[in-house]
Amino acid sequence: MKGSLQPQVKRPAHVGMFRQLVNSKTTPTARISQMRIGFPADVLTEIPDMLKLQKSDVFKVVGLPPSTASKFIREHKLLDQSTSERVDRLAEIFALASDTLGEGDAAADWLGATNFALGGERPIDLLDTALGAEQVRRVLGNIRYGGAL
């Protein structure tokens, strides 16, 4: 009876959205539709812990100044289409890294470490552009299938 007196806290539906993007097998059509609508800015709060990154690294990858990102999170705004696309790209690359290198920490550690095959850059620092993300995918593919780096 003692526990029933406490108010129940409802979790917003979007909490855990980044994890859902990483683990999801949604169709490209569904992903495109969600990106056009925009992801809730709260998705940005999940990424640093999951990928073992600083907030500033995440905000750089998704192309938002820290003050703007904080305001969007505080006001529960939707991200615009291009920012949502970068969040989706980050989730897709993290899923690929997890599948290639092992779940969770191994993938997060790899994304945050300098990489010789990427010219000494950290993979995470290349994910702010489509070309950089393609280079990260290439290296992960080479690791996965034994190609030359």
Side-chain angles (χ1 to χ4, degrees):
M1 181 122 192
K2 184 172 151 187
S4 64
L5 297 176
Q6 300 211 358
Q8 290 200 353
V9 177
K10 286 180 96 176
R11 276 178 46 162
H14 50 78
V15 172
M17 179 176 264
F18 188 75
R19 185 172 303 280
Q20 289 174 14
L21 287 170
V22 170
N23 297 327
S24 177
K25 302 295 182 205
T26 26
T27 66
T29 303
R31 288 175 44 216
I32 291 166
S33 177
Q34 184 60 53
M35 283 184 268
R36 285 180 175 155
I37 294 167
F39 295 130
D42 293 352
V43 73
L44 300 174
T45 63
E46 300 172 56
I47 300 171
D49 288 339
M50 200 166 167
L51 272 62
K52 297 168 45 175
L53 295 170
Q54 297 295 316
K55 286 181 188 177
S56 58
D57 289 329
V58 173
F59 297 157
K60 179 183 174 277
V61 169
V62 300
L64 285 177
S67 59
T68 303
S70 297
K71 179 181 178 187
F72 282 14
I73 292 165
R74 187 175 56 254
E75 295 177 2
H76 304 289
K77 292 190 176 225
L78 292 177
L79 301 174
D80 65 23
Q81 182 177 336
S82 63
T83 305
S84 295
E85 186 172 2
R86 289 186 198 106
V87 169
D88 184 77
R89 179 169 54 217
L90 181 57
E92 182 242 331
I93 295 287
F94 183 62
L96 179 62
S98 295
D99 193 45
T100 302
L101 304 166
E103 296 295 322
D105 286 348
D109 291 343
W110 186 84
L111 286 170
T114 57
N115 190 296
F116 177 78
L118 294 169
E121 296 280 338
R122 298 185 315 160
I124 193 68
D125 293 330
L126 298 175
L127 299 182
D128 60 337
T129 66
L131 183 58
E134 188 55 41
Q135 295 305 304
V136 172
R137 282 186 200 93
R138 179 187 56 79
V139 170
L140 284 168
N142 288 343
I143 292 169
R144 185 178 189 124
Y145 299 111
L149 296 175

mmCIF file of all heavy atoms in Angstrom, residues 106-146:
data_model
loop_
_atom_site.group_PDB
_atom_site.id
_atom_site.type_symbol
_atom_site.label_atom_id
_atom_site.label_comp_id
_atom_site.label_asym_id
_atom_site.label_seq_id
_atom_site.Cartn_x
_atom_site.Cartn_y
_atom_site.Cartn_z
ATOM 1 N N ALA A 106 32.282 -1.425 -27.353
ATOM 2 C CA ALA A 106 33.295 -1.597 -28.405
ATOM 3 C C ALA A 106 33.043 -0.632 -29.553
ATOM 4 O O ALA A 106 33.967 0.006 -30.059
ATOM 5 C CB ALA A 106 33.310 -3.037 -28.902
ATOM 6 N N ALA A 107 31.795 -0.515 -29.960
ATOM 7 C CA ALA A 107 31.445 0.395 -31.051
ATOM 8 C C ALA A 107 31.639 1.849 -30.630
ATOM 9 O O ALA A 107 32.193 2.658 -31.387
ATOM 10 C CB ALA A 107 30.008 0.157 -31.496
ATOM 11 N N ALA A 108 31.210 2.188 -29.428
ATOM 12 C CA ALA A 108 31.361 3.563 -28.936
ATOM 13 C C ALA A 108 32.838 3.925 -28.819
ATOM 14 O O ALA A 108 33.237 5.027 -29.203
ATOM 15 C CB ALA A 108 30.657 3.720 -27.594
ATOM 16 N N ASP A 109 33.644 3.005 -28.301
ATOM 17 C CA ASP A 109 35.078 3.267 -28.170
ATOM 18 C C ASP A 109 35.713 3.486 -29.540
ATOM 19 O O ASP A 109 36.537 4.384 -29.714
ATOM 20 C CB ASP A 109 35.784 2.106 -27.454
ATOM 21 C CG ASP A 109 35.407 2.010 -25.978
ATOM 22 O OD1 ASP A 109 34.867 2.989 -25.423
ATOM 23 O OD2 ASP A 109 35.644 0.936 -25.385
ATOM 24 N N TRP A 110 35.330 2.671 -30.525
ATOM 25 C CA TRP A 110 35.889 2.793 -31.869
ATOM 26 C C TRP A 110 35.520 4.137 -32.494
ATOM 27 O O TRP A 110 36.370 4.796 -33.099
ATOM 28 C CB TRP A 110 35.398 1.636 -32.753
ATOM 29 C CG TRP A 110 36.041 1.623 -34.100
ATOM 30 C CD1 TRP A 110 37.250 1.077 -34.430
ATOM 31 C CD2 TRP A 110 35.517 2.194 -35.311
ATOM 32 N NE1 TRP A 110 37.511 1.283 -35.769
ATOM 33 C CE2 TRP A 110 36.468 1.961 -36.331
ATOM 34 C CE3 TRP A 110 34.344 2.872 -35.624
ATOM 35 C CZ2 TRP A 110 36.271 2.386 -37.645
ATOM 36 C CZ3 TRP A 110 34.153 3.301 -36.931
ATOM 37 C CH2 TRP A 110 35.106 3.049 -37.929
ATOM 38 N N LEU A 111 34.280 4.558 -32.329
ATOM 39 C CA LEU A 111 33.844 5.837 -32.899
ATOM 40 C C LEU A 111 34.600 7.018 -32.297
ATOM 41 O O LEU A 111 34.816 8.027 -32.968
ATOM 42 C CB LEU A 111 32.341 6.032 -32.709
ATOM 43 C CG LEU A 111 31.440 5.205 -33.603
ATOM 44 C CD1 LEU A 111 29.988 5.314 -33.139
ATOM 45 C CD2 LEU A 111 31.564 5.623 -35.058
ATOM 46 N N GLY A 112 35.005 6.896 -31.037
ATOM 47 C CA GLY A 112 35.660 8.004 -30.347
ATOM 48 C C GLY A 112 37.174 7.979 -30.388
ATOM 49 O O GLY A 112 37.818 8.892 -29.865
ATOM 50 N N ALA A 113 37.772 6.955 -31.014
ATOM 51 C CA ALA A 113 39.238 6.837 -31.053
ATOM 52 C C ALA A 113 39.773 7.253 -32.421
ATOM 53 O O ALA A 113 39.121 7.051 -33.451
ATOM 54 C CB ALA A 113 39.644 5.392 -30.756
ATOM 55 N N THR A 114 40.963 7.829 -32.431
ATOM 56 C CA THR A 114 41.575 8.186 -33.709
ATOM 57 C C THR A 114 41.809 6.915 -34.523
ATOM 58 O O THR A 114 42.028 5.841 -33.967
ATOM 59 C CB THR A 114 42.908 8.936 -33.514
ATOM 60 O OG1 THR A 114 43.789 8.136 -32.740
ATOM 61 C CG2 THR A 114 42.680 10.281 -32.851
ATOM 62 N N ASN A 115 41.725 7.068 -35.833
ATOM 63 C CA ASN A 115 41.788 5.907 -36.710
ATOM 64 C C ASN A 115 42.756 6.181 -37.853
ATOM 65 O O ASN A 115 42.560 7.128 -38.627
ATOM 66 C CB ASN A 115 40.377 5.615 -37.241
ATOM 67 C CG ASN A 115 40.279 4.317 -37.967
ATOM 68 O OD1 ASN A 115 40.904 4.133 -39.005
ATOM 69 N ND2 ASN A 115 39.471 3.418 -37.427
ATOM 70 N N PHE A 116 43.766 5.339 -37.963
ATOM 71 C CA PHE A 116 44.783 5.504 -39.006
ATOM 72 C C PHE A 116 44.160 5.493 -40.397
ATOM 73 O O PHE A 116 44.535 6.285 -41.256
ATOM 74 C CB PHE A 116 45.826 4.382 -38.875
ATOM 75 C CG PHE A 116 46.871 4.421 -39.959
ATOM 76 C CD1 PHE A 116 47.909 5.340 -39.905
ATOM 77 C CD2 PHE A 116 46.802 3.552 -41.041
ATOM 78 C CE1 PHE A 116 48.866 5.387 -40.907
ATOM 79 C CE2 PHE A 116 47.755 3.594 -42.042
ATOM 80 C CZ PHE A 116 48.796 4.513 -41.981
ATOM 81 N N ALA A 117 43.198 4.594 -40.621
ATOM 82 C CA ALA A 117 42.571 4.463 -41.943
ATOM 83 C C ALA A 117 41.732 5.689 -42.310
ATOM 84 O O ALA A 117 41.385 5.878 -43.476
ATOM 85 C CB ALA A 117 41.706 3.204 -41.995
ATOM 86 N N LEU A 118 41.449 6.527 -41.341
ATOM 87 C CA LEU A 118 40.681 7.754 -41.586
ATOM 88 C C LEU A 118 41.577 8.985 -41.455
ATOM 89 O O LEU A 118 41.112 10.072 -41.108
ATOM 90 C CB LEU A 118 39.492 7.832 -40.623
ATOM 91 C CG LEU A 118 38.433 6.758 -40.810
ATOM 92 C CD1 LEU A 118 37.439 6.755 -39.654
ATOM 93 C CD2 LEU A 118 37.712 6.942 -42.146
ATOM 94 N N GLY A 119 42.858 8.791 -41.731
ATOM 95 C CA GLY A 119 43.798 9.910 -41.693
ATOM 96 C C GLY A 119 44.051 10.444 -40.304
ATOM 97 O O GLY A 119 44.361 11.625 -40.137
ATOM 98 N N GLY A 120 43.901 9.591 -39.293
ATOM 99 C CA GLY A 120 44.132 10.019 -37.919
ATOM 100 C C GLY A 120 42.943 10.717 -37.283
ATOM 101 O O GLY A 120 43.021 11.185 -36.151
ATOM 102 N N GLU A 121 41.841 10.790 -38.000
ATOM 103 C CA GLU A 121 40.608 11.403 -37.469
ATOM 104 C C GLU A 121 39.847 10.386 -36.623
ATOM 105 O O GLU A 121 39.972 9.177 -36.816
ATOM 106 C CB GLU A 121 39.698 11.845 -38.613
ATOM 107 C CG GLU A 121 40.261 12.930 -39.482
ATOM 108 C CD GLU A 121 40.120 14.312 -38.885
ATOM 109 O OE1 GLU A 121 39.246 14.517 -38.013
ATOM 110 O OE2 GLU A 121 40.892 15.185 -39.284
ATOM 111 N N ARG A 122 39.026 10.894 -35.721
ATOM 112 C CA ARG A 122 38.082 10.025 -35.017
ATOM 113 C C ARG A 122 36.878 9.831 -35.930
ATOM 114 O O ARG A 122 36.398 10.808 -36.530
ATOM 115 C CB ARG A 122 37.607 10.667 -33.707
ATOM 116 C CG ARG A 122 38.674 10.926 -32.704
ATOM 117 C CD ARG A 122 38.136 11.458 -31.378
ATOM 118 N NE ARG A 122 37.132 12.502 -31.562
ATOM 119 C CZ ARG A 122 36.247 12.863 -30.627
ATOM 120 N NH1 ARG A 122 36.250 12.284 -29.446
ATOM 121 N NH2 ARG A 122 35.382 13.812 -30.869
ATOM 122 N N PRO A 123 36.369 8.612 -36.049
ATOM 123 C CA PRO A 123 35.191 8.405 -36.902
ATOM 124 C C PRO A 123 34.040 9.352 -36.567
ATOM 125 O O PRO A 123 33.396 9.882 -37.476
ATOM 126 C CB PRO A 123 34.820 6.939 -36.639
ATOM 127 C CG PRO A 123 36.125 6.301 -36.274
ATOM 128 C CD PRO A 123 36.884 7.356 -35.503
ATOM 129 N N ILE A 124 33.807 9.607 -35.301
ATOM 130 C CA ILE A 124 32.692 10.468 -34.901
ATOM 131 C C ILE A 124 32.829 11.864 -35.507
ATOM 132 O O ILE A 124 31.838 12.497 -35.856
ATOM 133 C CB ILE A 124 32.562 10.540 -33.355
ATOM 134 C CG1 ILE A 124 31.228 11.165 -32.955
ATOM 135 C CG2 ILE A 124 33.713 11.284 -32.720
ATOM 136 C CD1 ILE A 124 30.030 10.338 -33.278
ATOM 137 N N ASP A 125 34.065 12.338 -35.667
ATOM 138 C CA ASP A 125 34.284 13.687 -36.193
ATOM 139 C C ASP A 125 34.008 13.790 -37.683
ATOM 140 O O ASP A 125 33.934 14.898 -38.220
ATOM 141 C CB ASP A 125 35.702 14.149 -35.882
ATOM 142 C CG ASP A 125 35.932 14.337 -34.392
ATOM 143 O OD1 ASP A 125 34.968 14.679 -33.672
ATOM 144 O OD2 ASP A 125 37.080 14.138 -33.948
ATOM 145 N N LEU A 126 33.876 12.671 -38.361
ATOM 146 C CA LEU A 126 33.598 12.680 -39.791
ATOM 147 C C LEU A 126 32.114 12.554 -40.105
ATOM 148 O O LEU A 126 31.712 12.692 -41.260
ATOM 149 C CB LEU A 126 34.370 11.541 -40.480
ATOM 150 C CG LEU A 126 35.885 11.633 -40.373
ATOM 151 C CD1 LEU A 126 36.529 10.402 -40.982
ATOM 152 C CD2 LEU A 126 36.392 12.898 -41.043
ATOM 153 N N LEU A 127 31.306 12.294 -39.090
ATOM 154 C CA LEU A 127 29.889 12.005 -39.331
ATOM 155 C C LEU A 127 29.030 13.249 -39.536
ATOM 156 O O LEU A 127 27.826 13.135 -39.740
ATOM 157 C CB LEU A 127 29.323 11.148 -38.202
ATOM 158 C CG LEU A 127 29.987 9.780 -38.039
ATOM 159 C CD1 LEU A 127 29.316 9.003 -36.926
ATOM 160 C CD2 LEU A 127 29.975 9.006 -39.339
ATOM 161 N N ASP A 128 29.636 14.418 -39.531
ATOM 162 C CA ASP A 128 28.850 15.630 -39.777
ATOM 163 C C ASP A 128 28.625 15.869 -41.263
ATOM 164 O O ASP A 128 27.856 16.746 -41.641
ATOM 165 C CB ASP A 128 29.501 16.852 -39.118
ATOM 166 C CG ASP A 128 30.906 17.136 -39.633
ATOM 167 O OD1 ASP A 128 31.556 16.210 -40.153
ATOM 168 O OD2 ASP A 128 31.356 18.291 -39.501
ATOM 169 N N THR A 129 29.281 15.075 -42.123
ATOM 170 C CA THR A 129 29.054 15.191 -43.565
ATOM 171 C C THR A 129 28.746 13.816 -44.152
ATOM 172 O O THR A 129 29.183 12.787 -43.620
ATOM 173 C CB THR A 129 30.295 15.759 -44.299
ATOM 174 O OG1 THR A 129 31.364 14.809 -44.207
ATOM 175 C CG2 THR A 129 30.728 17.105 -43.725
ATOM 176 N N ALA A 130 28.035 13.814 -45.246
ATOM 177 C CA ALA A 130 27.695 12.550 -45.913
ATOM 178 C C ALA A 130 28.956 11.855 -46.423
ATOM 179 O O ALA A 130 29.090 10.628 -46.316
ATOM 180 C CB ALA A 130 26.720 12.799 -47.062
ATOM 181 N N LEU A 131 29.906 12.614 -46.971
ATOM 182 C CA LEU A 131 31.141 12.031 -47.474
ATOM 183 C C LEU A 131 31.968 11.421 -46.339
ATOM 184 O O LEU A 131 32.515 10.322 -46.470
ATOM 185 C CB LEU A 131 31.966 13.074 -48.235
ATOM 186 C CG LEU A 131 33.262 12.586 -48.870
ATOM 187 C CD1 LEU A 131 32.996 11.434 -49.847
ATOM 188 C CD2 LEU A 131 33.954 13.739 -49.585
ATOM 189 N N GLY A 132 32.035 12.123 -45.221
ATOM 190 C CA GLY A 132 32.744 11.585 -44.058
ATOM 191 C C GLY A 132 32.099 10.305 -43.561
ATOM 192 O O GLY A 132 32.785 9.329 -43.233
ATOM 193 N N ALA A 133 30.779 10.281 -43.509
ATOM 194 C CA ALA A 133 30.062 9.073 -43.076
ATOM 195 C C ALA A 133 30.332 7.921 -44.034
ATOM 196 O O ALA A 133 30.480 6.773 -43.603
ATOM 197 C CB ALA A 133 28.568 9.356 -42.982
ATOM 198 N N GLU A 134 30.426 8.215 -45.318
ATOM 199 C CA GLU A 134 30.722 7.169 -46.300
ATOM 200 C C GLU A 134 32.112 6.583 -46.063
ATOM 201 O O GLU A 134 32.316 5.376 -46.201
ATOM 202 C CB GLU A 134 30.603 7.714 -47.730
ATOM 203 C CG GLU A 134 30.709 6.663 -48.793
ATOM 204 C CD GLU A 134 29.716 5.518 -48.622
ATOM 205 O OE1 GLU A 134 28.551 5.754 -48.275
ATOM 206 O OE2 GLU A 134 30.119 4.348 -48.830
ATOM 207 N N GLN A 135 33.057 7.424 -45.691
ATOM 208 C CA GLN A 135 34.403 6.935 -45.385
ATOM 209 C C GLN A 135 34.388 6.029 -44.154
ATOM 210 O O GLN A 135 35.065 4.999 -44.121
ATOM 211 C CB GLN A 135 35.373 8.107 -45.175
ATOM 212 C CG GLN A 135 35.595 8.949 -46.407
ATOM 213 C CD GLN A 135 36.048 8.114 -47.591
ATOM 214 O OE1 GLN A 135 37.039 7.399 -47.520
ATOM 215 N NE2 GLN A 135 35.297 8.177 -48.680
ATOM 216 N N VAL A 136 33.611 6.400 -43.153
ATOM 217 C CA VAL A 136 33.490 5.569 -41.945
ATOM 218 C C VAL A 136 32.841 4.228 -42.305
ATOM 219 O O VAL A 136 33.302 3.173 -41.862
ATOM 220 C CB VAL A 136 32.697 6.315 -40.843
ATOM 221 C CG1 VAL A 136 32.409 5.399 -39.666
ATOM 222 C CG2 VAL A 136 33.458 7.560 -40.397
ATOM 223 N N ARG A 137 31.798 4.258 -43.129
ATOM 224 C CA ARG A 137 31.162 3.009 -43.582
ATOM 225 C C ARG A 137 32.164 2.125 -44.325
ATOM 226 O O ARG A 137 32.187 0.913 -44.155
ATOM 227 C CB ARG A 137 29.980 3.308 -44.501
ATOM 228 C CG ARG A 137 28.729 3.743 -43.816
ATOM 229 C CD ARG A 137 27.568 3.860 -44.824
ATOM 230 N NE ARG A 137 26.524 4.690 -44.301
ATOM 231 C CZ ARG A 137 26.402 6.000 -44.511
ATOM 232 N NH1 ARG A 137 27.243 6.648 -45.296
ATOM 233 N NH2 ARG A 137 25.414 6.674 -43.973
ATOM 234 N N ARG A 138 32.987 2.752 -45.163
ATOM 235 C CA ARG A 138 33.992 2.007 -45.932
ATOM 236 C C ARG A 138 34.963 1.285 -44.998
ATOM 237 O O ARG A 138 35.241 0.099 -45.167
ATOM 238 C CB ARG A 138 34.761 2.958 -46.859
ATOM 239 C CG ARG A 138 35.862 2.279 -47.686
ATOM 240 C CD ARG A 138 36.703 3.293 -48.462
ATOM 241 N NE ARG A 138 37.306 4.322 -47.635
ATOM 242 C CZ ARG A 138 38.413 4.161 -46.895
ATOM 243 N NH1 ARG A 138 39.039 3.017 -46.870
ATOM 244 N NH2 ARG A 138 38.890 5.171 -46.182
ATOM 245 N N VAL A 139 35.467 1.984 -43.995
ATOM 246 C CA VAL A 139 36.408 1.371 -43.055
ATOM 247 C C VAL A 139 35.722 0.247 -42.283
ATOM 248 O O VAL A 139 36.293 -0.838 -42.113
ATOM 249 C CB VAL A 139 37.016 2.431 -42.105
ATOM 250 C CG1 VAL A 139 37.806 1.769 -40.979
ATOM 251 C CG2 VAL A 139 37.901 3.389 -42.886
ATOM 252 N N LEU A 140 34.496 0.470 -41.837
ATOM 253 C CA LEU A 140 33.771 -0.593 -41.132
ATOM 254 C C LEU A 140 33.549 -1.804 -42.040
ATOM 255 O O LEU A 140 33.678 -2.945 -41.599
ATOM 256 C CB LEU A 140 32.431 -0.073 -40.594
ATOM 257 C CG LEU A 140 32.529 0.807 -39.349
ATOM 258 C CD1 LEU A 140 31.206 1.505 -39.079
ATOM 259 C CD2 LEU A 140 32.975 0.002 -38.142
ATOM 260 N N GLY A 141 33.242 -1.559 -43.303
ATOM 261 C CA GLY A 141 33.083 -2.655 -44.257
ATOM 262 C C GLY A 141 34.375 -3.424 -44.442
ATOM 263 O O GLY A 141 34.375 -4.665 -44.521
ATOM 264 N N ASN A 142 35.493 -2.713 -44.508
ATOM 265 C CA ASN A 142 36.787 -3.373 -44.645
ATOM 266 C C ASN A 142 37.131 -4.200 -43.402
ATOM 267 O O ASN A 142 37.683 -5.296 -43.517
ATOM 268 C CB ASN A 142 37.887 -2.362 -44.935
ATOM 269 C CG ASN A 142 37.798 -1.801 -46.336
ATOM 270 O OD1 ASN A 142 37.130 -2.366 -47.199
ATOM 271 N ND2 ASN A 142 38.449 -0.678 -46.570
ATOM 272 N N ILE A 143 36.801 -3.679 -42.240
ATOM 273 C CA ILE A 143 37.014 -4.446 -41.004
ATOM 274 C C ILE A 143 36.141 -5.692 -41.024
ATOM 275 O O ILE A 143 36.592 -6.798 -40.734
ATOM 276 C CB ILE A 143 36.707 -3.583 -39.752
ATOM 277 C CG1 ILE A 143 37.735 -2.473 -39.607
ATOM 278 C CG2 ILE A 143 36.640 -4.454 -38.504
ATOM 279 C CD1 ILE A 143 37.369 -1.428 -38.578
ATOM 280 N N ARG A 144 34.912 -5.511 -41.402
ATOM 281 C CA ARG A 144 33.945 -6.606 -41.380
ATOM 282 C C ARG A 144 34.290 -7.725 -42.366
ATOM 283 O O ARG A 144 34.149 -8.900 -42.053
ATOM 284 C CB ARG A 144 32.561 -6.040 -41.689
ATOM 285 C CG ARG A 144 31.463 -7.040 -41.578
ATOM 286 C CD ARG A 144 30.129 -6.369 -41.865
ATOM 287 N NE ARG A 144 29.081 -7.279 -41.539
ATOM 288 C CZ ARG A 144 28.101 -7.057 -40.704
ATOM 289 N NH1 ARG A 144 28.021 -5.888 -40.098
ATOM 290 N NH2 ARG A 144 27.189 -7.952 -40.473
ATOM 291 N N TYR A 145 34.728 -7.329 -43.551
ATOM 292 C CA TYR A 145 34.945 -8.319 -44.591
ATOM 293 C C TYR A 145 36.407 -8.559 -44.931
ATOM 294 O O TYR A 145 36.727 -9.242 -45.903
ATOM 295 C CB TYR A 145 34.174 -7.910 -45.866
ATOM 296 C CG TYR A 145 32.699 -7.834 -45.606
ATOM 297 C CD1 TYR A 145 32.036 -6.611 -45.600
ATOM 298 C CD2 TYR A 145 31.960 -8.986 -45.349
ATOM 299 C CE1 TYR A 145 30.674 -6.539 -45.345
ATOM 300 C CE2 TYR A 145 30.601 -8.919 -45.088
ATOM 301 C CZ TYR A 145 29.969 -7.695 -45.100
ATOM 302 O OH TYR A 145 28.623 -7.638 -44.841
ATOM 303 N N GLY A 146 37.307 -7.966 -44.144
ATOM 304 C CA GLY A 146 38.726 -8.246 -44.323
ATOM 305 C C GLY A 146 39.374 -7.542 -45.491
ATOM 306 O O GLY A 146 40.397 -7.984 -45.995
#
